[in-house]
Amino acid sequence: MYFIFEIAFSSNKNYIANLIRAYAEKVGIEAEIIQTKDKIVMIFNQDDEKLESFLLGMEDVLPASLFLGKGKHYFSEEKPSLLALSEVNLPVNIAPCPSCQKEMFDVSTRRFYYPFTSCNNCGSQHPFLTKYPYTRANTTMKFLVPCTACEKERTENSLRKDYPLISCIECGIGLRMLNRETEYMALNKGDYRNLFKVSAGAISTGKTVLMKTMHGYRKFFYPNRDADAIKKIKFTTQKLDIGLSKAPYNFADSGKDSVGLSTLLMASTAGFNEHLMLVEQEFNALLSIERPLLRVATKSDVMKRLYGSSALVKYPDDGMTMLLAAEAVKHGLEYLAYVECGSDEVADFLVDFDMPINTQKDTKLFINQDTKLFVSGERILYPAMVENEKNRVTVAHDLACVRVDGENIIDSFDVFDSVSTEEIYVLDTEEDFESGHNNEKLFEQYKASMLSVLAEHGKVGQKAIGVHFDGTLNFLYYNGKQVINAVPAIAFESDNLWEKISTLRDGSDRLVHNYKKAYPEVWERLDNLEGDMDIFEVTAITLGLEDESFEGISAEAVSFLGKGGLQIDTKVKDNRFDNYAFLTSIMSYQLGDVENNFMCYSIYESFGDYIGELVPQLCDKVESNIVVLVGETFANQSLYGRIQKTLGVKNPLMSKNFPIGKENAVHGALYL
């Protein structure tokens, strides 16, 4: 008789299954761990006396994960027949697992306050990768020789057997802290701890700390415009014996005014309920081992003053940030803020290490009830293994899909050596890429994005209607062979904007005159636009938003708590989206003193109605009920909710294992 325990798992990543295998080996229980496309299955002998303690102990070694779902158990006379996923050794880029975190905060271990602590199935591995295959010789760690204790672990520790990046304070990466006059090197446990202690203390007094993390340089600061609030935190740098002199820069010089555009880093869970309006799914996602970026509504007065109605929020996501946050809490800080920047950013202190890293763009997550969608980014999702028989390399947005040892791997283009291929497909906007291949073909974003979704859901070759909404709104038709832009948006050009608006329809010239009189500064700004700007950037400028982007409009829409919006024009003729009609409608409401949050909410609701009206017509015309939605713009609560009402019956398909935004193109190009 077998005891079967299953956990839903909606990803092809294998770090959770491998953590379970390592734990089973550690406790000495016989178990067969199988990962399929939608679950992890554990098969035990029912009579194993270690079974109960294993299941209870698993709670302490398994992290929360975005991909984990509900579990169930049952008994069976026979082993279940399961189709296991193929596995390949790919470096992850997630937070440390519970076991590694325990080491980091245990003074008796060799990794006490060592920020590079990780194991085979967690931590920041990808930043150190230089090329495939993933071995120590192909990482920047190859220059460091493991100490005797680490070498022993590589043969005995179930979590770190043959681990390419094994290291500790004795043999690993050193840290240093600098200001203009002094350099401090961390050489032992006490030094490492003191470095993070001083960093957090400096931030608590209003200083800035530029820190090299495994995700690149981040400038950390205390995001409070009220100087009195800083004075209430009782801490002075003189109390710390670290040998650093007073920093030469003041807080204003180093980014205090960028609070609204920074990422809010919650140092502990204690302040979540006080400062943020979180649903359970958002809370669980922030604390998951994947540590995504999440836009959530603000709650406290101080947070509303700093960030407005919503903020991009993060929980500490790598060893550097986790240790800094731990010390920040001891200095009375519930949260910090950071901006991503370069190594030359001005700050009061610098915390650095002499090891090159390969950074990945952070991944934003969108949550609507039980639906989770990756909006954009690379971390968490890439590298990824995909199945495809074509001898083809694809390139898009600095990512490439390349065959390595018989497996197709999507990762940063820089980590692949030269490769032999019959053909190479390159995104048509990838201007800096030169392959030199005699069979190079260019492809368009919307075509690859739609095919990526169809491939994930096993629908390639079947007719489908698609909506690509990423700054520009286009309606697509896939005839089973190629993707056609069936209802393209009317092209938008931001230059000579007033001329285009004034000739749109009868009375438009009067609108321009009235708008110039009511909003002279905005009129002047719009009259002198330069560069290629999309409709959302121009709309944000029109509304006077601090964040002049799609993100800024989304953030403003979150603060509207009413129901039902205004009807904003989305089309003029032939059912095509007209950017100028859209902008004209917004200006008209603005002249009528409509509040910004109501306007922004209405924008997405109107888009939802327009899409919900046109898609069924297209489906009837081509006789297909397969609908694909793709593009970052769908990551908006108002729009997504409206789409569910208008198109929910058709169960629209969206990306699951890739971003709904542009980064899925490298996958979709395999099917062009």
Side-chain angles (χ1 to χ4, degrees):
M1 180 72 72
Y2 296 99
F3 176 79
I4 316 294
F5 188 50
E6 297 181 355
I7 308 178
F9 194 73
S10 58
S11 171
N12 55 11
K13 307 298 181 186
N14 52 36
Y15 46 84
I16 296 295
N18 285 339
L19 278 171
I20 297 172
R21 292 187 184 106
Y23 174 55
E25 181 181 335
K26 179 182 178 181
V27 301
I29 189 173
E30 290 189 14
E32 188 173 352
I33 316 299
I34 301 172
Q35 182 173 344
T36 70
K37 66 177 183 179
D38 58 3
K39 60 188 174 183
I40 297 172
V41 182
M42 292 163 263
I43 306 172
F44 307 91
N45 187 321
Q46 178 190 348
D47 299 325
D48 197 317
E49 60 183 16
K50 297 179 181 179
L51 180 56
E52 183 177 356
S53 62
F54 173 85
L55 294 174
L56 291 173
M58 198 161 60
E59 295 181 3
D60 296 326
V61 298
L62 278 191
S65 172
L66 290 173
F67 307 112
L68 277 173
K70 295 181 179 180
K72 68 175 183 179
H73 68 273
Y74 58 92
F75 297 93
S76 175
E77 293 284 353
E78 299 180 354
K79 284 187 178 181
S81 179
L82 301 165
L83 180 62
L85 285 178
S86 298
E87 293 189 14
V88 63
N89 185 27
L90 299 176
V92 298
N93 196 3
I94 52 180
C97 70
S99 298
C100 287
Q101 286 189 52
K102 186 176 180 181
E103 283 186 83
M104 285 170 58
F105 292 101
D106 184 349
V107 70
S108 68
T109 73
R110 306 188 328 276
R111 298 186 175 91
F112 179 64
Y113 268 69
Y114 181 60
F116 309 99
T117 302
S118 59
C119 70
N120 273 311
N121 306 300
C122 79
S124 303
Q125 302 175 22
H126 189 273
F128 301 101
L129 180 73
T130 56
K131 64 179 181 179
Y132 282 101
Y134 174 41
T135 62
R136 191 177 185 94
N138 291 335
T139 71
T140 50
M141 283 279 196
K142 68 181 179 181
F143 301 109
L144 302 178
V145 179
C147 63
T148 303
C150 282
E151 282 289 5
K152 186 177 181 182
E153 270 195 282
R154 283 212 289 195
T155 61
E156 297 180 0
N157 187 336
S158 59
L159 287 171
R160 297 197 178 97
K161 279 192 175 179
D162 300 318
Y163 181 42
L165 302 183
I166 196 165
S167 65
C168 67
I169 287 179
E170 300 300 323
C171 62
I173 303 171
L175 292 181
R176 59 176 181 164
M177 187 174 191
L178 307 91
N179 66 6
R180 182 171 291 180
E181 302 171 2
T182 311
E183 178 174 351
Y184 170 80
M185 297 298 296
L187 302 174
N188 55 48
K189 293 180 184 180
D191 292 343
Y192 276 80
R193 167 72 185 280
N194 215 20
L195 185 148
F196 287 101
K197 184 178 181 181
V198 169
S199 297
I203 292 170
S204 74
T205 61
K207 303 296 183 182
T208 57
V209 174
L210 177 62
M211 181 175 286
K212 184 177 181 180
T213 72
M214 267 62 89
H215 309 307
Y217 284 91
R218 292 171 172 173
K219 182 164 70 174
F220 293 92
F221 57 96
Y222 182 60
N224 202 317
R225 295 190 172 101
D226 181 5
D228 291 334
I230 296 177
K231 295 177 183 177
K232 293 177 184 177
I233 302 171
K234 296 179 180 179
F235 175 85
T236 59
T237 50
Q238 284 85 3
K239 293 181 181 179
L240 292 175
D241 183 19
I242 194 172
L244 281 173
S245 59
K246 187 176 180 181
Y249 309 109
N250 62 45
F251 187 67
D253 289 336
S254 45
K256 181 182 177 184
D257 292 334
S258 63
V259 169
L261 301 179
S262 66
T263 297
L264 175 65
L265 180 76
M266 297 304 296
S268 76
T269 59
F272 274 44
N273 289 332
E274 178 184 353
H275 298 295
L276 304 172
M277 295 178 62
L278 293 171
V279 298
E280 182 181 358
Q281 294 91 332
E282 291 172 330
F283 180 86
N284 293 338
L286 286 170
L287 269 61
S288 70
I289 193 170
E290 291 84 15
R291 299 290 205 272
L293 268 173
L294 209 61
R295 179 164 291 282
V296 299
T298 54
K299 182 179 180 181
S300 65
D301 290 339
V302 64
M303 208 55 68
K304 287 183 181 297
R305 186 172 71 250
L306 292 170
Y307 288 98
S309 58
S310 68
L312 269 178
V313 180
K314 163 80 74 171
Y315 198 57
D317 57 355
D318 76 322
M320 299 290 290
T321 314
M322 292 175 77
L323 294 171
L324 177 65
E327 289 300 317
V329 170
K330 296 174 185 176
H331 287 95
L333 303 181
E334 294 179 325
Y335 52 84
L336 307 173
Y338 70 84
V339 290
E340 296 181 344
C341 56
S343 60
D344 58 348
E345 181 78 9
V346 175
D348 298 315
F349 293 94
L350 169 66
V351 176
D352 208 346
F353 53 89
D354 291 324
M355 182 70 76
I357 55 172
N358 178 24
T359 60
Q360 291 182 298
K361 292 191 288 288
D362 214 340
T363 298
K364 295 179 183 177
L365 183 72
F366 171 75
I367 295 178
N368 183 281
Q369 297 180 356
D370 292 329
T371 299
K372 299 185 187 73
L373 299 172
F374 296 101
V375 182
S376 61
E378 301 168 354
R379 197 184 63 79
I380 302 172
L381 302 175
Y382 299 111
M385 185 185 72
V386 294
E387 295 182 3
N388 194 278
E389 298 302 320
K390 295 177 181 176
N391 186 7
R392 175 187 296 178
V393 169
T394 62
V395 178
H397 304 294
D398 298 321
L399 293 166
C401 182
V402 176
R403 187 175 290 271
V404 179
D405 295 334
E407 303 287 355
N408 290 304
I409 297 175
I410 299 176
D411 202 347
S412 167
F413 184 81
D414 295 332
V415 299
F416 296 109
D417 271 351
S418 59
V419 62
S420 175
T421 183
E422 292 180 359
E423 55 186 2
I424 181 166
Y425 276 56
V426 182
L427 185 67
D428 59 1
T429 57
E430 206 84 7
E431 298 176 356
D432 297 332
F433 179 80
E434 295 181 4
S435 69
H437 200 283
N438 59 10
N439 191 14
E440 178 182 309
K441 300 177 181 178
L442 300 181
F443 66 87
E444 295 164 283
Q445 175 77 46
Y446 70 88
K447 293 182 179 181
S449 288
M450 183 173 183
L451 280 169
S452 176
V453 179
L454 290 170
E456 273 199 84
H457 294 272
K459 304 292 185 182
V460 173
Q462 302 180 44
K463 291 193 298 183
I465 292 297
V467 184
H468 183 258
F469 200 0
D470 205 348
T472 300
L473 177 59
N474 296 292
F475 294 86
L476 316 174
Y477 169 50
Y478 175 61
N479 61 13
K481 295 182 179 180
Q482 60 178 328
V483 178
I484 302 164
N485 196 349
V487 187
I490 297 173
F492 178 66
E493 296 176 351
S494 56
D495 59 326
N496 298 319
L497 187 63
W498 294 118
E499 180 182 340
K500 291 164 182 144
I501 290 177
S502 63
T503 58
L504 182 67
R505 55 167 73 96
D506 290 340
S508 294
D509 55 342
R510 290 194 301 274
L511 172 71
V512 172
H513 175 76
N514 292 336
Y515 195 88
K516 181 179 181 180
K517 185 177 180 180
Y519 300 98
E521 293 182 2
V522 177
W523 190 95
E524 182 74 20
R525 176 86 188 277
L526 294 177
D527 193 42
N528 293 283
L529 294 176
E530 295 182 359
D532 185 18
M533 304 181 73
D534 66 36
I535 185 62
F536 289 105
E537 291 177 280
V538 176
T539 299
I541 292 172
T542 302
L543 296 176
L545 303 182
E546 181 179 1
D547 185 354
E548 297 174 350
S549 66
F550 160 73
E551 194 76 55
I553 298 174
S554 293
E556 190 69 22
V558 169
S559 66
F560 179 69
L561 303 178
K563 293 183 178 180
L566 301 164
Q567 186 60 51
I568 295 176
D569 287 348
T570 51
K571 57 183 181 296
V572 173
K573 58 183 179 180
D574 302 327
N575 276 328
R576 297 174 67 189
F577 173 67
D578 190 300
N579 295 278
Y580 305 109
F582 170 77
L583 199 56
T584 299
S585 184
I586 288 172
M587 291 176 174
S588 297
Y589 283 124
Q590 196 175 11
L591 288 170
D593 294 327
V594 174
E595 294 290 335
N596 271 0
N597 60 354
F598 188 23
M599 188 99 72
C600 291
Y601 174 86
S602 301
I603 286 172
Y604 293 106
E605 194 171 75
S606 297
F607 273 124
D609 289 340
Y610 171 39
I611 294 168
E613 174 188 344
L614 189 53
V615 166
Q617 297 176 28
L618 295 173
C619 287
D620 291 342
K621 190 172 183 178
V622 303
E623 298 181 340
S624 173
N625 273 318
I626 300 176
V627 176
V628 170
L629 304 179
V630 65
E632 288 188 31
T633 312
F634 284 110
N636 172 274
Q637 297 292 350
S638 305
L639 176 59
Y640 187 86
R642 200 67 171 183
I643 291 289
Q644 291 303 304
K645 289 182 179 180
T646 58
L647 290 179
V649 67
K650 293 190 179 296
N651 192 26
L653 306 179
M654 301 186 77
S655 291
K656 296 190 302 180
N657 292 310
F658 301 103
I660 63 173
K662 60 188 181 182
E663 292 91 351
N664 63 6
V666 69
H667 171 241
L670 292 170
Y671 301 90
L672 290 169

